[in-house]
Amino acid sequence: MTIAQDSPARSETSAAACSVTFSVNGRTSSLVLDPRVTLLDVLREHLHLTGTKKGCDQGQCGACTVMVNGRRINSCLTLALMHEGDEITTIEGLGSPEALHPLQKAFLDHDGFQCGYCTPGQIISAVAVLEEIGAGVPSHVTADLNGAPPATDEEIRERMSGNLCRCSAYPNIIAAIRDMVEDHV
Amino acid sequence: MRAFTYERAGSPAAAAAAVATQPGAKFIAGGTNLLDLMKLEIEVPTHLVDVNRLGLDLIETTPDGGLKIGALVRNTDLAADMRVRSDYPLLARAVLSGASGQLRNKATTGGNLLQRTRCPYFYNTDMPCNKRKPGSGCAAMGGLSHNLAIVGASDACIATHPSDMAVALRALDATVETVAADGSERHTPLADFYRSPGETPHIETVLRAAEMITSVTLPQPLGGVQIYRKVRERASFAFATVSVAMVAGSVDGDIRVDRLAFGGLAHKPWRVEAAEGAARSAEAIADIVLAGAKPTADNAYKLPLVRRTLAAVIAQAKSESAR
Ligand SMILES: Cc1cc2nc3c(=O)[nH]c(=O)nc-3n(C[C@H](O)[C@H](O)[C@H](O)COP(=O)(O)OP(=O)(O)OC[C@H]3O[C@@H](n4cnc5c(N)ncnc54)[C@H](O)[C@@H]3O)c2cc1C
Ligand code: SF4
Ligand code: FES
Ligand code: FES
């Protein structure tokens, strides 16, 4: 399907707008967007879901981590237009202040943050990490590629390495995730 | 980011045709390298052709017992595939050593092969760089080059190729399949896919304009002990300073190196066939690998690092083959 075949759009300021429809936290959104808009910017600037953070905008920090069709990705390195029909889950869709996701509660119980800027990305990533271990997806530190990966601290650390924490709350982040291991893996 | 138009292709040949018709058009797959470079206006495509939903995300067994990996297979799915894990563990290990879980969920087989260098001056548009701006010079020579090439470079460019996956694929004798705008297909051995920098470091592969990668094919499994060891500046989520891909067998308690390729050393995945096919000490192998090496003052540390990493890999191969 050709979405836009308008002018070559070489100017710095304008590009032919395109429409896209996807669901965010169970709610369908239809948007008309400049093709340059990343999924991260659409979440924050257009849908005002500011839980997802912009740290580096280069795939290096993980603050922008969201789930797309159940898999975690960096929302800063993907175009919103590439997500036609996708189901996106952000930190706002995981739990609410009244009904926290168990991992959100574990982060509170273990002080898994200081400034909190990296926290939404950490929590989304951690939920996905537990699912990945449960599904048998191997990691760099998995000793036996043919077996099921164990939910050890070493595995969790390696799998969480795409989420940086400038406040270095790492020990407590690991403690919070470890709390969840018995329930979810 | 410069403005561009966007379309979703209907088939691989249609995607190639779409890129061929619009000057400055590019394919976009995972987007994890291209969008990063577009934000910095190092890549300035006028039109993006999205190749994500063309059914190229399958891994299939070939009639002769190999594996055909679709160009859009995500790095996570490639490394998690049971056939890859048991028959091509070198590839699974290399992929798992790269990037982060989030990035591997998006990064594709084709895009990974075509990712650009991480040379700091390629990324810094204020500095001369022959790869980014042909003829402008090379700021890395005499500048920060600690992570750049020690072999196979040229006077125009000393950049390294950053892919881990490509190093394993090179050791495993993979072939790259492509389709052109007129629908014609080609098979290129990975051995011939990447170019040496020479005077034209901006031309990195033998791909023609608008040629699209559709799959990567592995020959029959090699067996043997397969090791991918990546040395980097932190324990995870960093590019290789040196990486070694080795397939080895054992003869009378000695390790015979059947396949040997390196990452972090050269402009392309660096296979050293001269060191293959015999039992040699790590030192003797390193002598072959490093013959003709031309390090800078900044990256001369890679010479001993190659020796020590090889020694560690040989020792690991010994203990694994004794099991
Ligand atoms: C922070 C960070 C850390 C990283 N660390 C590592 C690491 O340690 N090791 C490592 O190996 N990699 C690493 N990477 C790189 C990552 O692996 C690549 O960005 C990724 O593999 C690129 O794949 P993609 O599908 O996203 O490509 P894209 O960004 O979509 O495309 C890359 C290029 O390939 C072209 N292209 C894509 N698909 C095709 C096709 N089918 N046919 C023809 N052309 C095509 C595009 O036009 C573009 O020029 C890292 C990346 C980041 C951001
Ligand atoms: S080494 Fe290559 S990529 Fe780096 S500045 Fe020189 S020409 Fe550019
Ligand atoms: S903002 Fe996306 S990884 Fe840092
Ligand atoms: S809590 Fe401050 S960056 Fe992680």
Side-chain angles (χ1 to χ4, degrees):
Chain A
M1 171 177 46
T2 298
I3 297 232
Q5 279 183 327
D6 301 2
S7 65
R10 282 208 181 71
S11 95
E12 301 258 349
T13 48
S14 76
C18 298
S19 58
V20 66
T21 301
F22 45 67
S23 91
V24 181
N25 303 329
R27 287 183 54 180
T28 303
S29 291
S30 290
L31 299 149
V32 176
L33 298 169
D34 180 316
R36 288 173 287 190
V37 177
T38 60
L39 181 59
L40 173 59
D41 285 342
V42 109
L43 292 171
R44 291 183 55 84
E45 311 292 337
H46 296 246
L47 301 175
H48 306 295
L49 292 167
T50 52
T52 307
K53 301 295 187 233
K54 182 183 285 190
C56 63
D57 215 20
Q58 297 186 308
Q60 297 180 1
C61 75
C64 66
T65 305
V66 300
M67 299 264 219
V68 174
N69 302 332
R71 299 175 72 147
R72 58 179 170 146
I73 66 164
N74 305 98
S75 61
C76 67
L77 286 187
T78 189
L79 296 173
L81 290 184
M82 297 172 80
H83 293 282
E84 180 67 36
D86 284 349
E87 289 179 15
I88 296 147
T89 305
T90 68
I91 191 71
E92 290 92 344
L94 214 55
S96 64
E98 301 74 39
L100 293 174
H101 183 280
L103 202 60
Q104 291 174 318
K105 179 157 187 315
F107 266 68
L108 283 175
D109 292 346
H110 288 277
D111 253 346
F113 49 83
Q114 286 181 38
C115 76
Y117 197 79
C118 71
T119 313
Q122 300 278 1
I123 292 177
I124 292 279
S125 209
V127 169
V129 161
L130 296 177
E131 284 169 9
E132 286 163 17
I133 294 175
V137 174
S139 85
H140 173 62
V141 300
T142 308
D144 176 9
L145 277 183
N146 292 307
T152 56
D153 284 6
E154 189 194 16
E155 284 279 359
I156 293 169
R157 278 197 195 96
E158 162 61 24
R159 290 165 193 268
M160 291 297 292
S161 70
N163 291 85
L164 305 194
C165 175
R166 194 64 188 81
C167 303
S168 211
Y170 298 114
N172 294 354
I173 292 171
I174 298 292
I177 301 172
R178 195 191 299 125
D179 246 19
M180 297 289 299
V181 165
E182 277 163 32
D183 304 344
H184 282 250
V185 177
Chain B
M1 200 189 292
R2 298 282 179 88
F4 57 86
T5 47
Y6 168 87
E7 85 176 82
R8 258 172 240 139
S11 72
V19 169
T21 16
Q22 171 134 0
K26 277 188 98 71
F27 304 104
I28 185 162
T32 60
N33 190 228
L34 184 56
L35 289 170
D36 191 13
L37 294 170
M38 284 169 63
K39 288 179 189 188
L40 298 164
E41 299 192 358
I42 295 165
E43 297 272 17
V44 287
T46 57
H47 185 62
L48 287 184
V49 178
D50 183 345
V51 295
N52 275 286
R53 300 179 195 213
L54 304 180
L56 296 175
D57 52 355
L58 301 176
I59 304 177
E60 296 161 303
T61 308
T62 61
D64 61 354
L67 219 50
K68 184 177 160 198
I69 303 157
L72 274 288
V73 170
R74 308 289 155 177
N75 284 181
T76 298
D77 298 317
L78 180 58
D81 186 276
M82 282 320 295
R83 293 161 294 186
V84 175
R85 282 151 81 174
S86 63
D87 297 342
Y88 306 94
L90 182 69
L91 178 57
R93 288 287 180 206
V95 170
L96 291 172
S97 77
S100 66
Q102 290 97 311
L103 287 160
R104 290 192 301 272
N105 277 344
K106 270 264 128 194
T108 65
T109 309
N112 190 311
L113 287 178
L114 296 178
Q115 62 175 297
R116 311 292 308 273
T117 186
R118 294 281 164 167
C119 172
Y121 304 105
F122 178 73
Y123 266 80
N124 184 343
T125 49
D126 294 333
M127 301 295 281
C129 168
N130 288 325
K131 190 184 274 299
R132 178 170 33 73
K133 196 167 175 229
S136 62
C138 170
M141 289 178 201
L144 292 172
S145 59
H146 72 282
N147 217 5
L148 301 186
I150 60 169
V151 289
S154 72
D155 291 339
C157 177
I158 56 172
T160 47
H161 195 273
S163 170
D164 291 293
M165 183 194 79
V167 179
L169 289 177
R170 180 71 182 90
L172 295 170
D173 273 340
T175 304
V176 181
E177 285 86 40
T178 54
V179 64
D182 61 3
S184 63
E185 296 175 9
R186 291 210 274 172
H187 304 254
T188 309
L190 199 60
D192 305 328
F193 184 77
Y194 292 108
R195 293 165 42 112
S196 293
E199 291 305 306
T200 52
H202 59 293
I203 308 172
E204 295 172 346
T205 69
V206 299
L207 285 183
R208 299 177 189 133
E211 200 171 354
M212 178 182 165
I213 301 177
T214 49
S215 58
V216 172
T217 298
L218 291 170
Q220 283 178 8
L222 278 176
V225 172
Q226 305 196 357
I227 298 170
Y228 189 79
R229 183 179 289 237
K230 178 173 177 179
V231 182
R232 43 187 160 175
E233 287 174 351
R234 59 186 183 194
S236 184
F237 200 22
F239 289 93
T241 52
V242 170
S243 68
V244 179
M246 186 184 285
V247 179
S250 93
V251 265
D252 307 327
D254 280 329
I255 288 302
R256 184 195 63 235
V257 175
D258 294 327
R259 299 287 168 86
L260 183 65
F262 293 83
L265 297 192
H267 196 253
K268 51 184 171 181
W270 196 248
R271 176 103 172 249
V272 188
E273 268 127 341
E276 296 174 0
R280 291 188 179 87
S281 68
E283 276 300 303
I285 299 170
D287 287 342
I288 298 171
V289 175
L290 298 173
K294 282 195 203 142
T296 63
D298 241 17
N299 67 21
Y301 76 93
K302 289 193 181 186
L303 302 175
L305 188 56
V306 165
R307 288 186 185 279
R308 289 172 194 160
T309 311
L310 269 170
V313 171
I314 295 278
Q316 185 182 341
K318 262 193 190 150
S319 82
E320 285 190 21
S321 65
R323 263 190 224 146

